[in-house]
Amino acid sequence: MKFGIQVNEGPYQHQSSDSAYQFTKAALEKGHEIFRVFFYHDGVNNASSLTIPPQDDRHIVDRWTALAKEHNLDLVVCIAAAQRRGMLDEKEAKRQGKNASNLAEGFRISGLGQLIEAGIQSERLVVFGD
Amino acid sequence: MEDEEVIKKFLYLNRKAPYGSIYALESLEVVLIGAAFDQNVSLAFIDDGVYQLKKDQSTDGIGMKNFSSTYRALGDYDVNKIYVDKDSMDERGLTIDDLMNLTYEDEDDDYAEKPSISILTSEKISALMEEQDVILSF
């Protein structure tokens, strides 16, 4: 089965963020394909390279980065949702005249069309949110 | 493009009030971008989501952007299947007269102006969800 995943909630705030990761990991382990993981609403914060959880807790951002590296996952952060929440890649930070960027490795920033495309191309689009 | 050959039934399920959280606004942003993909699009409004279509919205007291006029533009984007859950309306004391008059021009009927909103029972909303390929829930 080819899945698209939509993550609508922020890390540590809401279990949706964890559930999306667990589902994606389990699906890959079962041999399913993940067409794309799309981060929307506060879900964009799952991609912040500035995230520093306590040492005895899971690292949600690094966990996605590692999973992406292992399975060549397409992790896409919505640009409109990202910009209003202060999430920028290097190129966009430069373009907007900001002095820092914070997009973690393994993620890329793109438009909402990527979500619609995931809906079209995947056999199931699974939404994790409130 | 490969995308152009596939037409799926997309339902945007709107469950939350227009203000108080950003879900309604960002849902509408997806609908507007998604309209460019020529898919078979429907919108459903249930629970507090029915307030998104309430007419005479004012955000003067809360300092937020009033985006309700954007719903009026949906008809121009060929988004004209808008379904509202009757039980959710009843529970909140709302009738169709409390909602914005959303319309579209039917190009198959000499561009006659027609209403976009239908009020459906919960059973009909369930059936609508059942027949979709993709449900984006906000």
Side-chain angles (χ1 to χ4, degrees):
Chain A
M1 178 82 77
K2 198 194 315 187
F3 288 103
I5 308 292
Q6 183 181 345
V7 186
N8 285 342
E9 305 296 337
Y12 305 101
Q13 172 78 13
H14 202 296
Q15 193 176 345
S16 300
S17 152
D18 287 274
S19 301
Y21 170 80
Q22 302 294 358
F23 181 92
T24 303
K25 185 166 173 284
L28 289 165
E29 282 165 3
K30 291 272 186 191
H32 297 293
E33 184 186 340
I34 302 292
F35 176 75
R36 176 173 295 147
V37 183
F38 190 87
F39 296 87
Y40 198 44
H41 301 309
D42 276 356
V44 300
N45 292 315
N46 286 282
S48 173
S49 61
L50 300 178
T51 304
I52 308 169
Q55 282 189 356
D56 58 354
D57 199 354
R58 69 220 187 279
H59 197 308
I60 292 178
V61 180
D62 286 359
R63 214 165 57 171
W64 278 117
T65 297
L67 197 66
K69 194 174 273 179
E70 189 183 344
H71 296 278
N72 197 22
L73 277 182
D74 189 19
L75 305 181
V76 178
V77 176
C78 170
I79 187 162
Q83 290 199 335
R84 55 165 69 98
R85 290 169 178 84
M87 164 73 54
L88 297 167
D89 63 10
E90 223 169 286
K91 198 173 124 206
E92 195 60 17
K94 209 166 278 176
R95 201 175 74 84
Q96 301 281 353
K98 299 293 182 186
N99 62 5
S101 64
N102 59 339
L103 188 76
E105 192 189 332
F107 295 85
R108 64 185 179 95
I109 290 188
S110 188
L112 279 167
Q114 301 274 306
L115 171 62
I116 306 297
E117 192 195 25
I120 295 170
Q121 297 295 335
S122 307
E123 288 162 84
R124 294 280 188 285
L125 182 73
V126 186
V127 182
F128 292 87
D130 201 4
Chain B
M1 257 170 65
E2 195 184 349
D3 288 2
E4 288 172 355
E5 293 162 15
V6 185
I7 295 183
K8 285 191 172 181
K9 297 186 94 163
F10 273 72
L11 175 70
Y12 296 89
L13 184 63
N14 298 288
R15 300 172 294 132
K16 303 211 197 306
Y19 311 100
S21 69
I22 200 169
Y23 296 100
L25 171 63
E26 289 193 329
S27 169
L28 199 51
E29 289 183 350
V30 183
V31 174
L32 295 175
I33 297 289
F37 283 75
D38 291 332
Q39 301 291 300
N40 183 343
V41 173
S42 303
L43 270 58
F45 294 84
I46 67 169
D47 300 339
D48 277 348
V50 299
Y51 287 124
Q52 293 181 32
L53 300 180
K54 178 85 175 54
K55 67 181 176 193
D56 301 331
Q57 293 180 27
S58 167
T59 56
D60 290 349
I62 54 172
M64 288 185 193
K65 186 165 87 175
N66 182 347
F67 61 92
S68 60
S69 60
T70 310
Y71 293 97
R72 295 186 189 280
L74 289 175
D76 298 332
Y77 285 82
D78 287 330
V79 176
N80 49 38
K81 296 191 286 288
I82 299 178
Y83 303 103
V84 180
D85 176 48
K86 183 174 186 304
D87 287 351
S88 303
M89 293 278 283
D90 291 347
E91 285 163 6
R92 290 161 183 78
L94 297 172
T95 69
I96 193 158
D97 295 332
D98 296 306
L99 303 184
M100 290 182 275
N101 181 28
L102 303 185
T103 58
Y104 70 104
E105 290 177 351
D106 188 349
E107 59 185 27
D108 297 326
D109 189 11
D110 199 24
Y111 294 91
E113 189 166 287
K114 297 186 175 176
S116 299
I117 297 180
S118 311
I119 310 263
L120 300 184
T121 62
S122 296
E123 289 74 23
K124 289 249 172 70
I125 296 275
S126 298
L128 179 75
M129 289 171 68
E130 187 64 33
E131 69 187 36
Q132 302 299 317
D133 296 308
V134 179
I135 297 178
L136 293 158
S137 178
F138 294 101

